[in-house]
Amino acid sequence: MIKQNIKKLYKRIISEKTRINAIYRINKIRGFFLRGNRFYCNYCNTGFRKFLPKGNITRENAMCPNCMSLERTRLLLEYLKNETGIFRNNVKVLHFAPERCLFNVLVKQNIYYVDGDINPLLAREVIDITNIQYPDKSFDIIICSHVLGHIPDEKKALSELNRVLSDNGELLIMSLIDFNREVTLESDKIKTAEDKLKNYGEPDLERLYGRDIVTRLQNGGFNVEQIDYRENIEGDSRQKLSLGDGSREMIFKCTKR
């Protein structure tokens, strides 16, 4: 109880932006003492003897201490480099809840790049995924990694994503998934952060997707390809990049019907 009260007081006194920047600086210092060659981050091109742990249920060797990339972001970068034209063509890209490591890469490319979040501290544009302020067919690639599960109105979000995606475009969805569950767990009775953490695995999720996530995306008007891109990474590189167990790293490539 005392620890929780101290945490609340800390959040009240210190601004969110200051807290975020402080975490980055502290982790960089920690990373200096973790340099090695067992693990490798493909964002900051740095080797470490170990990555930092991460998660409510701790995942070991998950986060790069230098740039804070995670298993899913390191895998996504490999997919974007090898399977899309994002680094070769002048495409139009919309990136929701931009991870700082990926933002720092994409913002330097010769592309039309829009990054957005409902929180103005986390992106350059404030964008509500259920009411996107762009015309129809505006984007060739939309990156929506670990966002959809946090949105109460999933159907509206998918409708908007479909609307602003170009006819030949790709929407890349990633989310926390329980592959042991056939049907997505979603209940109005699961309301508090404590209940969500217990049932969904994260305190701010609106649902825990099961294997029916493909059907739910198809119902949004998409053709869907489920891609475990870890299988495309050779064994040694896969180990060095630390690409997770698949529950957070599955890529769902969505195209318009």
Side-chain angles (χ1 to χ4, degrees):
M1 187 68 176
I2 295 177
K3 185 177 180 181
Q4 291 178 341
N5 288 335
I6 292 174
K7 191 173 183 179
K8 288 180 181 179
L9 180 62
Y10 165 72
K11 288 184 175 182
R12 191 176 301 122
I13 296 174
I14 308 298
S15 72
E16 184 177 7
K17 184 175 182 178
T18 300
R19 297 198 308 268
I20 292 171
N21 289 331
I23 291 171
Y24 272 88
R25 289 193 293 268
I26 291 170
N27 282 336
K28 278 181 175 289
I29 294 172
R30 294 173 69 185
F32 178 80
F33 297 99
L34 294 175
R35 296 291 176 89
N37 56 20
R38 184 183 176 194
F39 295 100
Y40 172 76
C41 177
N42 53 354
Y43 282 95
C44 59
N45 298 314
T46 307
F48 300 93
R49 57 184 174 84
K50 68 176 181 178
F51 284 141
L52 297 177
K54 182 70 174 176
N56 298 299
I57 300 175
T58 303
R59 310 189 310 276
E60 297 296 335
N61 296 308
M63 184 170 69
C64 170
N66 190 52
C67 68
M68 295 180 71
S69 71
L70 295 171
E71 308 99 322
R72 63 179 182 263
T73 47
R74 293 189 291 274
L75 183 70
L76 181 58
L77 181 59
E78 293 301 304
Y79 179 86
L80 291 173
K81 288 192 301 185
N82 299 327
E83 307 298 335
T84 74
I86 201 168
F87 296 108
R88 299 183 297 275
N89 304 321
N90 189 17
V91 293
K92 295 181 178 180
V93 178
L94 174 59
H95 186 186
F96 281 101
E99 304 85 350
R100 184 180 291 195
C101 56
L102 184 53
F103 168 86
N104 287 338
V105 171
L106 295 181
V107 77
K108 298 174 184 177
Q109 304 305 310
N110 183 31
I111 58 176
Y112 177 79
Y113 177 63
V114 174
D115 60 292
D117 196 288
I118 198 71
N119 185 338
L121 296 177
L122 300 180
R124 294 180 299 177
E125 289 198 30
V126 175
I127 301 179
D128 180 354
I129 197 171
T130 64
N131 186 23
I132 303 171
Q133 65 268 27
Y134 281 89
D136 296 359
K137 305 178 182 181
S138 290
F139 299 98
D140 304 306
I141 297 176
I142 301 177
I143 301 170
C144 187
S145 177
H146 287 251
V147 175
L148 193 60
H150 299 269
I151 307 302
D153 195 341
E154 176 196 71
K155 291 182 179 179
K156 180 61 176 173
L158 289 174
S159 175
E160 280 291 274
L161 290 167
N162 191 301
R163 181 183 65 80
V164 298
L165 184 67
S166 64
D167 287 338
N168 297 314
E170 298 180 11
L171 163 64
L172 304 177
I173 296 278
M174 301 175 81
S175 187
L176 177 61
I177 302 169
D178 181 357
F179 284 103
N180 293 316
R181 182 177 295 279
E182 181 178 354
V183 178
T184 294
L185 175 61
E186 187 174 25
S187 173
D188 292 337
K189 297 180 180 179
I190 303 174
K191 297 180 178 180
T192 67
E194 292 78 7
D195 286 342
K196 289 180 178 181
L197 177 60
K198 179 180 178 181
N199 290 277
Y200 299 153
E202 293 182 10
D204 53 353
L205 278 174
E206 295 296 327
R207 63 193 67 83
L208 175 59
Y209 284 113
R211 297 192 302 275
D212 64 335
I213 184 174
V214 172
T215 302
R216 295 171 75 106
L217 296 176
Q218 289 172 337
N219 290 340
F222 296 102
N223 296 310
V224 182
E225 181 181 357
Q226 180 175 319
I227 303 170
D228 186 353
Y229 203 68
R230 298 175 307 152
E231 296 178 354
N232 293 61
I233 311 298
E234 294 182 359
D236 185 56
S237 296
R238 180 171 172 176
Q239 172 64 32
K240 281 183 173 293
L241 288 169
S242 186
L243 298 178
D245 63 5
S247 60
R248 291 171 171 80
E249 297 78 29
M250 200 67 64
I251 298 172
F252 296 90
K253 174 184 171 183
C254 304
T255 55
K256 282 190 172 183
R257 288 179 182 165

